[in-house]
Amino acid sequence: MLESLGSLRGTPWVYVIVSLSIVLDVFVPILPSGVLVITAATTAAGTAADATGGVDVASVHTGAHLAEMFSLMLCAATASVLGDMVAYRLAWRGGDRFDRAIGRSRRLTAAQERLGAALTRGGGGIVVLARFAPAGRSVVSLGAGVAHRTVREFLPWSALAGLAWAAYSVSLGYFGGHWLGTSWVGTALSVVALFAAGSAAAFLMRRPDRGTAH
């Protein structure tokens, strides 16, 4: 994967591939969109460090690489919001069908109820948390559409979630590539950190709402 993205570095195809993966993984959560973002950032940062031969020389190119990382982050965040809104709109229009599908799972039903309560009281931080949890983005986006939550309630939190996730993923790839170069070790450690964040988010989402326990 490093070699494939490395050969596309500097071309629009990197952003196209990353964006498509992020948009589609709201419907197919097994797509490795986070891994692709990390790999793209690792490749860019690691190639720069290897080519310049050290941190002192590489500092000359810091501005260019920060711009590249910012572009990747903006691309990933925008694709994340776009995918969220597509799923939200589809669930809104096909509400009964999606509602029946969600109703067959107690876990999805509970998640939908927590989402609705959180958005109503302005606690949309659950949308941000769900962005890191496996399949959490799908549950939140589809659940918001089925529940007919307004765009004003959902969109700002979706944007914040996409930006937070993109910034975290790009940062992992950037620092991994900058310190370890374009090796599988740097990518692997960054991916482990991404999955660790996802596991922590999933754990927090499964915790009962203490505010409703009384």
Side-chain angles (χ1 to χ4, degrees):
M1 186 180 293
L2 282 170
E3 291 79 4
S4 299
L5 285 182
S7 64
L8 295 175
R9 182 173 175 261
T11 71
W13 287 109
V14 171
Y15 300 100
V16 172
I17 293 171
V18 169
S19 296
L20 283 177
S21 177
I22 295 171
V23 169
L24 294 176
D25 84 351
V26 71
F27 303 104
V28 189
I30 60 172
L31 288 177
S33 60
V35 176
L36 283 178
V37 173
I38 287 176
T39 303
T42 299
T43 302
T47 300
D50 293 341
T52 53
V55 176
D56 292 335
V57 181
S59 63
V60 177
H61 303 276
T62 297
H65 289 292
L66 288 180
E68 190 171 357
M69 294 300 128
F70 179 79
S71 297
L72 180 61
M73 181 183 70
L74 187 60
C75 171
T78 302
S80 179
V81 175
L82 179 60
D84 287 354
M85 295 309 297
V86 170
Y88 165 81
R89 283 299 185 186
L90 288 175
W92 179 293
R93 294 178 180 179
D96 292 339
R97 183 173 56 189
F98 281 103
D99 200 23
R100 287 194 297 270
I102 291 176
R104 287 194 287 267
S105 170
R106 285 185 298 177
R107 182 178 178 182
L108 293 180
T109 300
Q112 182 186 9
E113 291 173 351
R114 288 201 303 271
L115 170 65
L119 291 175
T120 298
R121 63 174 182 264
I126 191 174
V127 178
V128 180
L129 194 63
R131 185 61 185 85
F132 290 84
R137 175 192 181 201
S138 303
V139 172
V140 163
S141 300
L142 295 173
V146 168
H148 284 190
R149 295 292 159 185
T150 65
V151 173
R152 186 169 55 183
E153 284 181 313
F154 179 63
L155 181 57
W157 289 106
S158 172
L160 180 60
L163 185 60
W165 174 82
Y168 181 72
S169 301
V170 170
S171 296
L172 287 177
Y174 174 76
F175 288 112
H178 191 70
W179 292 332
L180 300 174
T182 53
S183 67
W184 67 268
V185 176
T187 303
L189 290 177
S190 299
V191 170
V192 168
L194 180 67
F195 279 108
S199 298
F203 172 77
L204 291 174
M205 289 184 69
R206 285 196 298 266
R207 294 180 61 186
D209 189 347
R210 295 178 180 178
T212 61
H214 298 291

